[in-house]
């Protein structure tokens, strides 16, 4: 296994250890309550020939909204 994305944590968090797999909590692109207001990130992961070339925190553009939430308005 080259890369494993975990859920539930709402912030991007790498999991360090003595294993070959790159593991991250991938975070959430938008806050789920007022305590999670502010800028959020998503992970952009580059994998080439089963090797992780990089993991970048990319900011979610301001004003972005989940497509299902936009449709419900």
């Amino acid at each position: 296994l080259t890369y494993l994305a975990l859920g539930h944590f709402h912030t991007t968090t790498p999991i360090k250890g003595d294993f070959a797999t790159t593991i991250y909590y991938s975070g959430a692109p938008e806050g789920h309550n007022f305590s999670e207001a502010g800028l959020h990130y998503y992970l952009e992961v580059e994998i080439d020939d089963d090797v992780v070339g990089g993991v970048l925190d990319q900011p979610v553009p301001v004003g972005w909204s989940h497509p299902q939430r936009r449709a419900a308005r």
Side-chain angles (χ1 to χ4, degrees), residues 56-70:
L56 301 173
D57 283 353
Q58 297 289 353
V60 174
V62 174
W64 179 90
S65 180
H66 191 280
Q68 290 178 340
R69 289 191 182 175
R70 277 198 310 264

Side-chain angles (χ1 to χ4, degrees), residues 23-72:
I23 303 173
Y24 272 81
Y25 281 100
S26 56
E30 59 185 13
H32 293 271
N33 59 48
F34 290 114
S35 69
E36 296 179 359
L39 189 60
H40 286 263
Y41 297 85
Y42 65 92
L43 293 179
E44 185 174 297
V45 182
E46 182 179 314
I47 300 174
D48 189 23
D49 293 327
D50 292 331
V51 175
V52 175
V55 179
L56 301 173
D57 283 353
Q58 297 289 353
V60 174
V62 174
W64 179 90
S65 180
H66 191 280
Q68 290 178 340
R69 289 191 182 175
R70 277 198 310 264

